[in-house]
C-alpha cells in the first residue's frame, strides 16, 4: 500500500535524498512505514502487506504528521 501526499517545492533546492531522510527522521515513531520515497511531486509512504492494517488505523495521525513535516521542511531547507 502507498499513501501519497503532495509535496512540491519551487526550484531545485531540494535534494530528493535529503527530503526522504527528513521525512524518515520526522516520522520515525511510525515504525510501520516500510519506505519513504520522494519523486519531486509527492511524498510516498510505502507499507508492506503486514503493515497495512497499522497504516489504516493510524491514517489520520499519519496524515497530520506528514502535513506538519511538510511545513517544517519548507522553513528549514
Amino acid at each position: 500500500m502507498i499513501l501519497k501526499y503532495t509535496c512540491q517545492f519551487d526550484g531545485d533546492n531540494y535534494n530528493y535524498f535529503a527530503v526522504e531522510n527528513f521525512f524518515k527522521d520526522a516520522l520515525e515513531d511510525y515504525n510501520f512505514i516500510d519506505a519513504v520515497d520522494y519523486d519531486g511531486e509527492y511524498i510516498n509512504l510505502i507499507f508492506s502487506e503486514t503493515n497495512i492494517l497499522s497504516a489504516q488505523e493510524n491514517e489520520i495521525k499519519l496524515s497530520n504528521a506528514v502535513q506538519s513535516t511538510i511545513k517544517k521542511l519548507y522553513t528549514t531547507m
Side-chain angles (χ1 to χ4, degrees), residues 2-69:
I2 299 173
L3 295 177
K4 289 181 161 272
Y5 298 91
T6 301
C7 186
Q8 293 178 319
F9 302 103
D10 293 333
D12 295 329
N13 303 7
Y14 296 91
N15 174 292
Y16 289 11
F17 184 70
V19 171
E20 290 171 1
N21 283 332
F22 191 89
F23 273 86
K24 286 177 188 175
D25 291 344
L27 301 174
E28 69 182 346
D29 290 342
Y30 298 92
N31 57 2
F32 51 87
I33 298 172
D34 292 300
V36 176
D37 177 61
Y38 177 60
D39 63 10
E41 186 175 354
Y42 296 99
I43 288 293
N44 302 297
L45 303 182
I46 302 164
F47 307 91
S48 66
E49 190 174 319
T50 57
N51 290 331
I52 290 175
L53 184 58
S54 294
Q56 291 171 336
E57 290 172 349
N58 292 284
E59 191 169 356
I60 292 172
K61 288 180 184 177
L62 189 56
S63 180
N64 290 338
V66 167
Q67 295 305 321
S68 175
T69 303

